Amino acid sequence: MIYILEDDDNIRKLIVYTLRSQNFSCEGFALPSEFWKKMEAEEPKLILLDIMLPEEDGFSILKKIRAEKRPVPVIMLTAKDTEFDVVAGLDAGADDYVTKPFGMMSLVSRIKAVLRRYEKSSEPKILKAASVTIDISKHTVFVGDRQVFLTVKEFDLLAILISNRGHVQSREQLLNSVWNIDADIESRTVDVHIRTLRQKLGETENIIQTVRGVGYVINNE
């Protein structure tokens, strides 16, 4: 089940039609109050969330979802495409950020990619680098004894970098691994996610090193 919170009737109906044609169960809402009422009855597998809404903006809604520790992926749908808005969405806990206008099949591809990452194998796997520990099966990250809460993409970026420690990962490689390369995704998307990831790692942010003109690396100790 996918919930779409979008106050533009035409966009919402088109998304609902497209997702159902792709065999997704979905339900659309024009108002946050309708959305919250449904959330109390049933939690979805994924949420498509517009930012500019009546009653309550999308950032506020996303922050409430994350504050309640709901393990549901959220893709922001918005006409805002400045780096500030992207970072604000990521900081609030968004898993992806799609700007309008967008192609319906491109959106479907992004939804499938996010769902795949949430449905990874439960096989235990622990990754470590310096004081950072990642538990793949539990989807948790600790810096020492402090738990760090990451979005799906931040988590995947960190896991890929640690798994390939000592080997530089180009932006193109990271786009391929994390986003499955979509035509409307730019390499700056990687840089923005790395920036927010470093901020969340706090005192251990320097574990991720920039290789100018190439990409990023976590070196062996």
Side-chain angles (χ1 to χ4, degrees), residues 114-133:
V114 171
L115 288 174
R116 280 197 300 269
R117 288 191 289 275
Y118 263 80
E119 296 168 357
K120 283 182 177 179
S121 170
S122 61
E123 180 182 352
K125 185 176 182 183
I126 305 296
L127 300 174
K128 293 185 177 182
S131 61
V132 178
T133 302

Side-chain angles (χ1 to χ4, degrees), residues 104-120:
M104 287 297 117
M105 296 316 297
S106 174
L107 177 62
V108 170
S109 177
R110 302 278 275 270
I111 289 171
K112 289 180 178 179
V114 171
L115 288 174
R116 280 197 300 269
R117 288 191 289 275
Y118 263 80
E119 296 168 357
K120 283 182 177 179

Side-chain angles (χ1 to χ4, degrees), residues 7-58:
D7 65 326
D8 185 305
D9 290 342
N10 291 329
I11 295 176
R12 186 179 65 257
K13 290 177 181 178
L14 180 57
I15 293 174
V16 168
Y17 173 81
T18 300
L19 292 183
R20 288 177 178 170
S21 72
Q22 295 295 310
N23 297 317
F24 284 105
S25 297
C26 62
E27 188 168 347
F29 308 92
L31 298 174
S33 55
E34 299 172 347
F35 166 79
W36 285 120
K37 184 176 181 180
K38 186 64 177 181
M39 284 285 284
E40 292 176 2
E42 179 185 3
E43 188 167 287
K45 292 292 185 181
L46 183 140
I47 297 169
L48 299 178
L49 178 62
D50 189 23
I51 289 181
M52 303 300 291
L53 294 164
E55 299 182 345
E56 185 178 11
D57 69 76

Side-chain angles (χ1 to χ4, degrees), residues 150-210:
L150 305 180
T151 66
V152 171
K153 285 186 172 61
E154 291 166 351
F155 184 91
D156 288 349
L157 276 173
L158 185 59
I160 289 169
L161 289 170
I162 293 180
S163 296
N164 294 278
R165 58 189 302 172
H167 300 280
V168 178
Q169 298 297 294
S170 69
R171 289 176 177 81
E172 290 73 19
Q173 287 175 309
L174 293 173
L175 281 171
N176 186 43
S177 299
V178 178
W179 285 268
N180 297 312
I181 300 186
D182 237 306
D184 57 351
I185 293 179
E186 301 176 0
S187 62
R188 80 182 183 106
T189 300
V190 175
D191 299 332
V192 171
H193 280 73
I194 289 289
R195 185 179 308 141
T196 60
L197 176 56
R198 282 171 168 161
Q199 291 172 350
K200 292 181 180 181
L201 291 178
E203 67 275 11
T204 319
E205 65 174 327
N206 291 332
I207 189 175
I208 303 175
Q209 299 179 15
T210 301

